[in-house]
Each structure stands twice: as structure tokens, then as C-alpha cells.
Amino acid sequence: MIRRFGEPPIAGQTYVRRPGVYAVLPRDGQLLLTCQMTPAPEIQLPGGGIDPGESPLCALHREVFEETGWRIAQPRKLGAFRRFTFMPEYDLWAEKLCHVYVAFPTRAISDPTEPDHSVIWMTPDAAALTVYNEGDRSFVARYCA
């Protein structure tokens, strides 16, 4: 069974399963993170949903680039977790199945192409306390231990 972080599912609420990929991105003693400003400011591991027919690794490269403008190399899966949440940007109750990788940022190509996203560099210790959700914090802390 895949570990759940965050609130348990609400009884009677229907959830749409939403697989996604996220990355711990170390470089020069810091982690590359993204800050999504809407609907509320959140510091996050870069990543997002896997589109229908898309492989997880293709989605990882696409999502990291969209949210940071960086290219990555050598992705390696660390694990997965689930969380149940309301996604206001989609007006959707989701069971997020979050696949977490470590990869290495190799080159900044552009600013983030995803609206309302900006790049943040943070020490691993600070990131383990700051990233938005409990599952991401757990993977950052475990990777950087």
C-alpha cells in the first residue's frame, strides 16, 4: 500500500485519481523549488500531473521545465505517496498519487512558462520545513538526511 500524507478522505466524497510526478532537485548545496502564487502562495517541489498517454519521465521533464525553466538529468525514483485534497484550480476533489524523483538541474533555459510560478533556491533543511505539503517535506528530509 502507498503511504498517505495529509487529511484522510472525507466519507461520501468522490475523488478523482490524479497521478503526478515531482522532483527533489539538488544543485550546489541547494534545492531548486517553485513558488506557485495562485490560488495562494505555496513553495513546492516542481512537478505536476501526468497527461493521458504520457510517460512519467516525459511528464517529469515537461513539468520541471514549465515550472522552473530548467532542464534536468539522471532522474531516479525515490518513491510515492498519496494525498486527498481539493484542487481549486480544477474545481476537483482528487486522490493525488505523487511519484517523487531525484534529478539534477543541468541548465536554465528560460523563466518558468507556467503562469504564476517563480523559481526559489533553498537549503535542504529549510525546504524540509517549508515546502507546502507533508509528503513533499518527508521526501526532502529523507533524501537530504
Side-chain angles (χ1 to χ4, degrees):
M1 176 176 271
I2 296 174
R3 183 174 178 188
R4 176 187 54 82
F5 284 93
E7 297 296 320
I10 299 168
Q13 177 63 56
T14 301
Y15 293 87
V16 174
R17 180 167 285 171
R18 187 157 164 85
V21 288
Y22 304 88
V24 175
L25 301 170
R27 183 179 170 117
D28 299 329
Q30 303 256 314
L31 296 182
L32 173 59
L33 304 167
T34 186
C35 181
Q36 179 177 341
M37 294 305 294
T38 56
E42 296 175 357
I43 296 175
Q44 306 168 340
L45 292 181
I50 302 170
D51 291 338
E54 185 177 36
S55 76
L57 285 177
C58 285
L60 183 68
H61 284 274
R62 176 183 55 76
E63 285 285 349
V64 168
F65 181 75
E66 288 174 357
E67 294 188 358
T68 68
W70 280 74
R71 297 288 186 210
I72 58 171
Q74 301 176 344
R76 180 176 52 91
K77 190 168 183 181
L78 296 175
F81 69 93
R82 299 178 314 146
R83 67 187 192 100
F84 294 86
T85 189
F86 181 71
M87 300 176 69
E89 63 272 31
Y90 299 104
D91 191 28
L92 176 74
W93 286 95
E95 175 190 359
K96 295 186 79 170
L97 179 54
C98 305
H99 301 275
V100 182
Y101 289 75
V102 61
F104 300 95
T106 57
R107 187 169 164 216
I109 303 295
S110 71
D111 290 333
T113 61
E114 188 73 27
D116 297 323
H117 282 71
S118 60
V119 168
I120 293 182
W121 291 93
M122 193 175 286
T123 66
D125 289 341
L129 298 171
T130 306
V131 292
Y132 173 69
N133 76 69
E134 185 181 346
D136 288 354
R137 288 193 302 272
S138 175
F139 274 92
V140 167
R142 193 166 42 155
Y143 175 76
C144 297

PDB file of all heavy atoms in Angstrom, residues 61-91:
ATOM      1  N   HIS A  61      10.082  15.711 -16.953  1.00  0.00           N
ATOM      2  CA  HIS A  61      10.883  16.703 -17.689  1.00  0.00           C
ATOM      3  C   HIS A  61      10.022  17.905 -18.086  1.00  0.00           C
ATOM      4  O   HIS A  61      10.445  19.054 -17.935  1.00  0.00           O
ATOM      5  CB  HIS A  61      11.509  16.063 -18.933  1.00  0.00           C
ATOM      6  CG  HIS A  61      12.685  15.198 -18.626  1.00  0.00           C
ATOM      7  ND1 HIS A  61      13.958  15.690 -18.509  1.00  0.00           N
ATOM      8  CD2 HIS A  61      12.767  13.861 -18.401  1.00  0.00           C
ATOM      9  CE1 HIS A  61      14.788  14.695 -18.235  1.00  0.00           C
ATOM     10  NE2 HIS A  61      14.087  13.572 -18.160  1.00  0.00           N
ATOM     11  N   ARG A  62       8.815  17.651 -18.591  1.00  0.00           N
ATOM     12  CA  ARG A  62       7.921  18.733 -19.018  1.00  0.00           C
ATOM     13  C   ARG A  62       7.526  19.620 -17.847  1.00  0.00           C
ATOM     14  O   ARG A  62       7.616  20.854 -17.926  1.00  0.00           O
ATOM     15  CB  ARG A  62       6.656  18.143 -19.691  1.00  0.00           C
ATOM     16  CG  ARG A  62       5.624  19.197 -20.078  1.00  0.00           C
ATOM     17  CD  ARG A  62       4.366  18.575 -20.666  1.00  0.00           C
ATOM     18  NE  ARG A  62       3.741  17.574 -19.824  1.00  0.00           N
ATOM     19  CZ  ARG A  62       3.005  17.820 -18.739  1.00  0.00           C
ATOM     20  NH1 ARG A  62       2.807  19.076 -18.336  1.00  0.00           N
ATOM     21  NH2 ARG A  62       2.465  16.836 -18.047  1.00  0.00           N
ATOM     22  N   GLU A  63       7.085  19.012 -16.753  1.00  0.00           N
ATOM     23  CA  GLU A  63       6.607  19.789 -15.606  1.00  0.00           C
ATOM     24  C   GLU A  63       7.720  20.606 -14.958  1.00  0.00           C
ATOM     25  O   GLU A  63       7.508  21.763 -14.599  1.00  0.00           O
ATOM     26  CB  GLU A  63       5.959  18.862 -14.568  1.00  0.00           C
ATOM     27  CG  GLU A  63       4.586  18.365 -14.958  1.00  0.00           C
ATOM     28  CD  GLU A  63       3.505  19.425 -14.825  1.00  0.00           C
ATOM     29  OE1 GLU A  63       3.744  20.507 -14.239  1.00  0.00           O
ATOM     30  OE2 GLU A  63       2.399  19.170 -15.316  1.00  0.00           O
ATOM     31  N   VAL A  64       8.909  20.015 -14.805  1.00  0.00           N
ATOM     32  CA  VAL A  64      10.019  20.771 -14.215  1.00  0.00           C
ATOM     33  C   VAL A  64      10.347  21.966 -15.102  1.00  0.00           C
ATOM     34  O   VAL A  64      10.542  23.081 -14.609  1.00  0.00           O
ATOM     35  CB  VAL A  64      11.251  19.875 -13.982  1.00  0.00           C
ATOM     36  CG1 VAL A  64      12.484  20.717 -13.643  1.00  0.00           C
ATOM     37  CG2 VAL A  64      10.983  18.873 -12.865  1.00  0.00           C
ATOM     38  N   PHE A  65      10.383  21.757 -16.414  1.00  0.00           N
ATOM     39  CA  PHE A  65      10.679  22.873 -17.308  1.00  0.00           C
ATOM     40  C   PHE A  65       9.595  23.947 -17.230  1.00  0.00           C
ATOM     41  O   PHE A  65       9.901  25.139 -17.131  1.00  0.00           O
ATOM     42  CB  PHE A  65      10.845  22.404 -18.757  1.00  0.00           C
ATOM     43  CG  PHE A  65      11.177  23.538 -19.672  1.00  0.00           C
ATOM     44  CD1 PHE A  65      12.449  24.086 -19.689  1.00  0.00           C
ATOM     45  CD2 PHE A  65      10.204  24.102 -20.483  1.00  0.00           C
ATOM     46  CE1 PHE A  65      12.750  25.175 -20.496  1.00  0.00           C
ATOM     47  CE2 PHE A  65      10.499  25.185 -21.285  1.00  0.00           C
ATOM     48  CZ  PHE A  65      11.777  25.722 -21.305  1.00  0.00           C
ATOM     49  N   GLU A  66       8.331  23.548 -17.259  1.00  0.00           N
ATOM     50  CA  GLU A  66       7.239  24.535 -17.219  1.00  0.00           C
ATOM     51  C   GLU A  66       7.285  25.369 -15.935  1.00  0.00           C
ATOM     52  O   GLU A  66       7.034  26.569 -15.977  1.00  0.00           O
ATOM     53  CB  GLU A  66       5.878  23.831 -17.310  1.00  0.00           C
ATOM     54  CG  GLU A  66       5.565  23.269 -18.676  1.00  0.00           C
ATOM     55  CD  GLU A  66       4.274  22.456 -18.709  1.00  0.00           C
ATOM     56  OE1 GLU A  66       3.621  22.275 -17.650  1.00  0.00           O
ATOM     57  OE2 GLU A  66       3.928  21.989 -19.807  1.00  0.00           O
ATOM     58  N   GLU A  67       7.598  24.730 -14.821  1.00  0.00           N
ATOM     59  CA  GLU A  67       7.531  25.422 -13.530  1.00  0.00           C
ATOM     60  C   GLU A  67       8.825  26.119 -13.124  1.00  0.00           C
ATOM     61  O   GLU A  67       8.797  26.975 -12.239  1.00  0.00           O
ATOM     62  CB  GLU A  67       7.095  24.439 -12.438  1.00  0.00           C
ATOM     63  CG  GLU A  67       5.667  23.968 -12.652  1.00  0.00           C
ATOM     64  CD  GLU A  67       5.121  23.147 -11.512  1.00  0.00           C
ATOM     65  OE1 GLU A  67       5.860  22.883 -10.537  1.00  0.00           O
ATOM     66  OE2 GLU A  67       3.939  22.772 -11.589  1.00  0.00           O
ATOM     67  N   THR A  68       9.961  25.756 -13.771  1.00  0.00           N
ATOM     68  CA  THR A  68      11.242  26.358 -13.375  1.00  0.00           C
ATOM     69  C   THR A  68      12.036  26.946 -14.536  1.00  0.00           C
ATOM     70  O   THR A  68      12.910  27.779 -14.312  1.00  0.00           O
ATOM     71  CB  THR A  68      12.152  25.329 -12.670  1.00  0.00           C
ATOM     72  OG1 THR A  68      12.571  24.345 -13.620  1.00  0.00           O
ATOM     73  CG2 THR A  68      11.450  24.687 -11.482  1.00  0.00           C
ATOM     74  N   GLY A  69      11.819  26.446 -15.752  1.00  0.00           N
ATOM     75  CA  GLY A  69      12.639  26.844 -16.892  1.00  0.00           C
ATOM     76  C   GLY A  69      13.943  26.082 -16.989  1.00  0.00           C
ATOM     77  O   GLY A  69      14.774  26.355 -17.855  1.00  0.00           O
ATOM     78  N   TRP A  70      14.149  25.100 -16.117  1.00  0.00           N
ATOM     79  CA  TRP A  70      15.389  24.319 -16.091  1.00  0.00           C
ATOM     80  C   TRP A  70      15.212  22.976 -16.783  1.00  0.00           C
ATOM     81  O   TRP A  70      14.141  22.362 -16.723  1.00  0.00           O
ATOM     82  CB  TRP A  70      15.819  24.055 -14.656  1.00  0.00           C
ATOM     83  CG  TRP A  70      16.519  25.203 -14.008  1.00  0.00           C
ATOM     84  CD1 TRP A  70      15.950  26.366 -13.558  1.00  0.00           C
ATOM     85  CD2 TRP A  70      17.909  25.307 -13.747  1.00  0.00           C
ATOM     86  NE1 TRP A  70      16.915  27.183 -13.029  1.00  0.00           N
ATOM     87  CE2 TRP A  70      18.133  26.557 -13.125  1.00  0.00           C
ATOM     88  CE3 TRP A  70      18.991  24.467 -13.963  1.00  0.00           C
ATOM     89  CZ2 TRP A  70      19.392  26.975 -12.724  1.00  0.00           C
ATOM     90  CZ3 TRP A  70      20.251  24.889 -13.560  1.00  0.00           C
ATOM     91  CH2 TRP A  70      20.440  26.124 -12.956  1.00  0.00           C
ATOM     92  N   ARG A  71      16.290  22.485 -17.381  1.00  0.00           N
ATOM     93  CA  ARG A  71      16.400  21.112 -17.872  1.00  0.00           C
ATOM     94  C   ARG A  71      17.014  20.278 -16.750  1.00  0.00           C
ATOM     95  O   ARG A  71      17.795  20.796 -15.932  1.00  0.00           O
ATOM     96  CB  ARG A  71      17.283  21.027 -19.117  1.00  0.00           C
ATOM     97  CG  ARG A  71      16.735  21.776 -20.298  1.00  0.00           C
ATOM     98  CD  ARG A  71      15.545  21.054 -20.873  1.00  0.00           C
ATOM     99  NE  ARG A  71      15.114  21.724 -22.106  1.00  0.00           N
ATOM    100  CZ  ARG A  71      13.883  21.749 -22.522  1.00  0.00           C
ATOM    101  NH1 ARG A  71      12.930  21.170 -21.826  1.00  0.00           N
ATOM    102  NH2 ARG A  71      13.556  22.352 -23.637  1.00  0.00           N
ATOM    103  N   ILE A  72      16.670  18.985 -16.738  1.00  0.00           N
ATOM    104  CA  ILE A  72      17.169  18.085 -15.693  1.00  0.00           C
ATOM    105  C   ILE A  72      17.812  16.852 -16.316  1.00  0.00           C
ATOM    106  O   ILE A  72      17.583  16.541 -17.485  1.00  0.00           O
ATOM    107  CB  ILE A  72      16.047  17.664 -14.721  1.00  0.00           C
ATOM    108  CG1 ILE A  72      14.900  16.966 -15.467  1.00  0.00           C
ATOM    109  CG2 ILE A  72      15.552  18.855 -13.916  1.00  0.00           C
ATOM    110  CD1 ILE A  72      13.854  16.339 -14.566  1.00  0.00           C
ATOM    111  N   ALA A  73      18.602  16.144 -15.513  1.00  0.00           N
ATOM    112  CA  ALA A  73      19.272  14.926 -15.955  1.00  0.00           C
ATOM    113  C   ALA A  73      19.226  13.872 -14.848  1.00  0.00           C
ATOM    114  O   ALA A  73      19.036  14.192 -13.678  1.00  0.00           O
ATOM    115  CB  ALA A  73      20.724  15.226 -16.316  1.00  0.00           C
ATOM    116  N   GLN A  74      19.406  12.628 -15.238  1.00  0.00           N
ATOM    117  CA  GLN A  74      19.550  11.479 -14.351  1.00  0.00           C
ATOM    118  C   GLN A  74      18.413  11.317 -13.339  1.00  0.00           C
ATOM    119  O   GLN A  74      18.661  11.122 -12.142  1.00  0.00           O
ATOM    120  CB  GLN A  74      20.888  11.532 -13.622  1.00  0.00           C
ATOM    121  CG  GLN A  74      22.074  11.551 -14.555  1.00  0.00           C
ATOM    122  CD  GLN A  74      23.393  11.704 -13.815  1.00  0.00           C
ATOM    123  OE1 GLN A  74      23.437  12.077 -12.636  1.00  0.00           O
ATOM    124  NE2 GLN A  74      24.482  11.427 -14.502  1.00  0.00           N
ATOM    125  N   PRO A  75      17.151  11.381 -13.769  1.00  0.00           N
ATOM    126  CA  PRO A  75      16.067  11.167 -12.799  1.00  0.00           C
ATOM    127  C   PRO A  75      16.081   9.739 -12.264  1.00  0.00           C
ATOM    128  O   PRO A  75      16.335   8.784 -12.995  1.00  0.00           O
ATOM    129  CB  PRO A  75      14.808  11.456 -13.612  1.00  0.00           C
ATOM    130  CG  PRO A  75      15.206  11.248 -15.031  1.00  0.00           C
ATOM    131  CD  PRO A  75      16.659  11.574 -15.130  1.00  0.00           C
ATOM    132  N   ARG A  76      15.828   9.630 -10.966  1.00  0.00           N
ATOM    133  CA  ARG A  76      15.754   8.338 -10.286  1.00  0.00           C
ATOM    134  C   ARG A  76      14.595   8.390  -9.298  1.00  0.00           C
ATOM    135  O   ARG A  76      14.499   9.322  -8.493  1.00  0.00           O
ATOM    136  CB  ARG A  76      17.068   8.069  -9.543  1.00  0.00           C
ATOM    137  CG  ARG A  76      17.103   6.737  -8.800  1.00  0.00           C
ATOM    138  CD  ARG A  76      18.473   6.496  -8.178  1.00  0.00           C
ATOM    139  NE  ARG A  76      18.958   7.607  -7.368  1.00  0.00           N
ATOM    140  CZ  ARG A  76      18.734   7.731  -6.050  1.00  0.00           C
ATOM    141  NH1 ARG A  76      18.024   6.844  -5.390  1.00  0.00           N
ATOM    142  NH2 ARG A  76      19.235   8.764  -5.391  1.00  0.00           N
ATOM    143  N   LYS A  77      13.740   7.390  -9.364  1.00  0.00           N
ATOM    144  CA  LYS A  77      12.557   7.386  -8.495  1.00  0.00           C
ATOM    145  C   LYS A  77      12.934   7.112  -7.047  1.00  0.00           C
ATOM    146  O   LYS A  77      13.686   6.192  -6.751  1.00  0.00           O
ATOM    147  CB  LYS A  77      11.540   6.358  -8.976  1.00  0.00           C
ATOM    148  CG  LYS A  77      10.210   6.483  -8.260  1.00  0.00           C
ATOM    149  CD  LYS A  77       9.117   5.685  -8.910  1.00  0.00           C
ATOM    150  CE  LYS A  77       7.809   5.921  -8.193  1.00  0.00           C
ATOM    151  NZ  LYS A  77       6.728   5.141  -8.797  1.00  0.00           N
ATOM    152  N   LEU A  78      12.386   7.960  -6.157  1.00  0.00           N
ATOM    153  CA  LEU A  78      12.592   7.790  -4.720  1.00  0.00           C
ATOM    154  C   LEU A  78      11.439   7.024  -4.077  1.00  0.00           C
ATOM    155  O   LEU A  78      11.635   6.319  -3.088  1.00  0.00           O
ATOM    156  CB  LEU A  78      12.723   9.150  -4.038  1.00  0.00           C
ATOM    157  CG  LEU A  78      13.927  10.004  -4.434  1.00  0.00           C
ATOM    158  CD1 LEU A  78      13.846  11.369  -3.753  1.00  0.00           C
ATOM    159  CD2 LEU A  78      15.229   9.296  -4.094  1.00  0.00           C
ATOM    160  N   GLY A  79      10.219   7.198  -4.604  1.00  0.00           N
ATOM    161  CA  GLY A  79       9.057   6.545  -4.019  1.00  0.00           C
ATOM    162  C   GLY A  79       7.781   7.257  -4.411  1.00  0.00           C
ATOM    163  O   GLY A  79       7.771   8.065  -5.352  1.00  0.00           O
ATOM    164  N   ALA A  80       6.728   6.970  -3.683  1.00  0.00           N
ATOM    165  CA  ALA A  80       5.418   7.553  -3.992  1.00  0.00           C
ATOM    166  C   ALA A  80       4.621   7.728  -2.707  1.00  0.00           C
ATOM    167  O   ALA A  80       4.891   7.067  -1.696  1.00  0.00           O
ATOM    168  CB  ALA A  80       4.653   6.669  -4.972  1.00  0.00           C
ATOM    169  N   PHE A  81       3.640   8.624  -2.761  1.00  0.00           N
ATOM    170  CA  PHE A  81       2.699   8.802  -1.665  1.00  0.00           C
ATOM    171  C   PHE A  81       1.370   9.265  -2.231  1.00  0.00           C
ATOM    172  O   PHE A  81       1.275   9.669  -3.388  1.00  0.00           O
ATOM    173  CB  PHE A  81       3.234   9.771  -0.592  1.00  0.00           C
ATOM    174  CG  PHE A  81       3.325  11.209  -1.021  1.00  0.00           C
ATOM    175  CD1 PHE A  81       2.275  12.102  -0.782  1.00  0.00           C
ATOM    176  CD2 PHE A  81       4.459  11.701  -1.652  1.00  0.00           C
ATOM    177  CE1 PHE A  81       2.365  13.430  -1.155  1.00  0.00           C
ATOM    178  CE2 PHE A  81       4.554  13.024  -2.030  1.00  0.00           C
ATOM    179  CZ  PHE A  81       3.503  13.891  -1.788  1.00  0.00           C
ATOM    180  N   ARG A  82       0.338   9.184  -1.411  1.00  0.00           N
ATOM    181  CA  ARG A  82      -0.994   9.655  -1.794  1.00  0.00           C
ATOM    182  C   ARG A  82      -1.407  10.779  -0.871  1.00  0.00           C
ATOM    183  O   ARG A  82      -0.996  10.835   0.276  1.00  0.00           O
ATOM    184  CB  ARG A  82      -2.049   8.542  -1.632  1.00  0.00           C
ATOM    185  CG  ARG A  82      -1.819   7.346  -2.456  1.00  0.00           C
ATOM    186  CD  ARG A  82      -2.859   6.248  -2.234  1.00  0.00           C
ATOM    187  NE  ARG A  82      -3.116   5.998  -0.820  1.00  0.00           N
ATOM    188  CZ  ARG A  82      -4.304   5.650  -0.331  1.00  0.00           C
ATOM    189  NH1 ARG A  82      -5.347   5.520  -1.091  1.00  0.00           N
ATOM    190  NH2 ARG A  82      -4.453   5.431   0.942  1.00  0.00           N
ATOM    191  N   ARG A  83      -2.240  11.661  -1.410  1.00  0.00           N
ATOM    192  CA  ARG A  83      -2.895  12.643  -0.556  1.00  0.00           C
ATOM    193  C   ARG A  83      -4.243  12.983  -1.169  1.00  0.00           C
ATOM    194  O   ARG A  83      -4.410  12.963  -2.388  1.00  0.00           O
ATOM    195  CB  ARG A  83      -2.038  13.871  -0.301  1.00  0.00           C
ATOM    196  CG  ARG A  83      -1.757  14.752  -1.443  1.00  0.00           C
ATOM    197  CD  ARG A  83      -0.741  15.836  -1.038  1.00  0.00           C
ATOM    198  NE  ARG A  83      -0.652  16.869  -2.025  1.00  0.00           N
ATOM    199  CZ  ARG A  83      -1.232  18.053  -1.972  1.00  0.00           C
ATOM    200  NH1 ARG A  83      -1.957  18.399  -0.927  1.00  0.00           N
ATOM    201  NH2 ARG A  83      -1.090  18.929  -2.939  1.00  0.00           N
ATOM    202  N   PHE A  84      -5.204  13.250  -0.301  1.00  0.00           N
ATOM    203  CA  PHE A  84      -6.562  13.582  -0.710  1.00  0.00           C
ATOM    204  C   PHE A  84      -6.759  15.074  -0.501  1.00  0.00           C
ATOM    205  O   PHE A  84      -6.542  15.577   0.599  1.00  0.00           O
ATOM    206  CB  PHE A  84      -7.571  12.773   0.115  1.00  0.00           C
ATOM    207  CG  PHE A  84      -7.492  11.298  -0.158  1.00  0.00           C
ATOM    208  CD1 PHE A  84      -6.589  10.492   0.521  1.00  0.00           C
ATOM    209  CD2 PHE A  84      -8.309  10.718  -1.114  1.00  0.00           C
ATOM    210  CE1 PHE A  84      -6.495   9.137   0.259  1.00  0.00           C
ATOM    211  CE2 PHE A  84      -8.232   9.358  -1.383  1.00  0.00           C
ATOM    212  CZ  PHE A  84      -7.326   8.568  -0.691  1.00  0.00           C
ATOM    213  N   THR A  85      -7.172  15.776  -1.555  1.00  0.00           N
ATOM    214  CA  THR A  85      -7.246  17.224  -1.467  1.00  0.00           C
ATOM    215  C   THR A  85      -8.235  17.792  -2.478  1.00  0.00           C
ATOM    216  O   THR A  85      -8.575  17.142  -3.466  1.00  0.00           O
ATOM    217  CB  THR A  85      -5.848  17.855  -1.700  1.00  0.00           C
ATOM    218  OG1 THR A  85      -5.898  19.240  -1.416  1.00  0.00           O
ATOM    219  CG2 THR A  85      -5.352  17.618  -3.111  1.00  0.00           C
ATOM    220  N   PHE A  86      -8.669  19.003  -2.204  1.00  0.00           N
ATOM    221  CA  PHE A  86      -9.455  19.742  -3.182  1.00  0.00           C
ATOM    222  C   PHE A  86      -8.495  20.598  -3.988  1.00  0.00           C
ATOM    223  O   PHE A  86      -7.631  21.278  -3.432  1.00  0.00           O
ATOM    224  CB  PHE A  86     -10.504  20.632  -2.499  1.00  0.00           C
ATOM    225  CG  PHE A  86     -11.339  21.394  -3.476  1.00  0.00           C
ATOM    226  CD1 PHE A  86     -12.271  20.746  -4.268  1.00  0.00           C
ATOM    227  CD2 PHE A  86     -11.183  22.762  -3.630  1.00  0.00           C
ATOM    228  CE1 PHE A  86     -13.040  21.446  -5.189  1.00  0.00           C
ATOM    229  CE2 PHE A  86     -11.941  23.470  -4.542  1.00  0.00           C
ATOM    230  CZ  PHE A  86     -12.880  22.806  -5.322  1.00  0.00           C
ATOM    231  N   MET A  87      -8.641  20.560  -5.309  1.00  0.00           N
ATOM    232  CA  MET A  87      -7.788  21.337  -6.209  1.00  0.00           C
ATOM    233  C   MET A  87      -8.644  22.465  -6.790  1.00  0.00           C
ATOM    234  O   MET A  87      -9.370  22.261  -7.764  1.00  0.00           O
ATOM    235  CB  MET A  87      -7.231  20.440  -7.318  1.00  0.00           C
ATOM    236  CG  MET A  87      -6.388  19.295  -6.788  1.00  0.00           C
ATOM    237  SD  MET A  87      -5.819  18.184  -8.088  1.00  0.00           S
ATOM    238  CE  MET A  87      -4.654  19.249  -8.925  1.00  0.00           C
ATOM    239  N   PRO A  88      -8.576  23.662  -6.185  1.00  0.00           N
ATOM    240  CA  PRO A  88      -9.468  24.740  -6.614  1.00  0.00           C
ATOM    241  C   PRO A  88      -9.248  25.177  -8.061  1.00  0.00           C
ATOM    242  O   PRO A  88     -10.203  25.578  -8.733  1.00  0.00           O
ATOM    243  CB  PRO A  88      -9.164  25.884  -5.643  1.00  0.00           C
ATOM    244  CG  PRO A  88      -7.865  25.550  -5.023  1.00  0.00           C
ATOM    245  CD  PRO A  88      -7.721  24.063  -5.072  1.00  0.00           C
ATOM    246  N   GLU A  89      -8.004  25.063  -8.560  1.00  0.00           N
ATOM    247  CA  GLU A  89      -7.752  25.482  -9.934  1.00  0.00           C
ATOM    248  C   GLU A  89      -8.470  24.596 -10.953  1.00  0.00           C
ATOM    249  O   GLU A  89      -8.695  25.001 -12.097  1.00  0.00           O
ATOM    250  CB  GLU A  89      -6.245  25.541 -10.235  1.00  0.00           C
ATOM    251  CG  GLU A  89      -5.504  24.221 -10.135  1.00  0.00           C
ATOM    252  CD  GLU A  89      -4.969  23.886  -8.744  1.00  0.00           C
ATOM    253  OE1 GLU A  89      -5.576  24.275  -7.738  1.00  0.00           O
ATOM    254  OE2 GLU A  89      -3.938  23.205  -8.678  1.00  0.00           O
ATOM    255  N   TYR A  90      -8.867  23.386 -10.526  1.00  0.00           N
ATOM    256  CA  TYR A  90      -9.608  22.460 -11.396  1.00  0.00           C
ATOM    257  C   TYR A  90     -11.027  22.211 -10.890  1.00  0.00           C
ATOM    258  O   TYR A  90     -11.756  21.439 -11.496  1.00  0.00           O
ATOM    259  CB  TYR A  90      -8.870  21.123 -11.498  1.00  0.00           C
ATOM    260  CG  TYR A  90      -7.489  21.248 -12.085  1.00  0.00           C
ATOM    261  CD1 TYR A  90      -6.353  21.189 -11.273  1.00  0.00           C
ATOM    262  CD2 TYR A  90      -7.302  21.440 -13.449  1.00  0.00           C
ATOM    263  CE1 TYR A  90      -5.084  21.311 -11.805  1.00  0.00           C
ATOM    264  CE2 TYR A  90      -6.034  21.557 -13.996  1.00  0.00           C
ATOM    265  CZ  TYR A  90      -4.928  21.490 -13.166  1.00  0.00           C
ATOM    266  OH  TYR A  90      -3.667  21.606 -13.698  1.00  0.00           O
ATOM    267  N   ASP A  91     -11.394  22.818  -9.754  1.00  0.00           N
ATOM    268  CA  ASP A  91     -12.680  22.560  -9.106  1.00  0.00           C
ATOM    269  C   ASP A  91     -12.899  21.046  -8.967  1.00  0.00           C
ATOM    270  O   ASP A  91     -13.903  20.505  -9.388  1.00  0.00           O
ATOM    271  CB  ASP A  91     -13.832  23.206  -9.891  1.00  0.00           C
ATOM    272  CG  ASP A  91     -15.139  23.195  -9.106  1.00  0.00           C
ATOM    273  OD1 ASP A  91     -15.083  23.211  -7.862  1.00  0.00           O
ATOM    274  OD2 ASP A  91     -16.209  23.158  -9.749  1.00  0.00           O
TER     275      ASP A  91
END
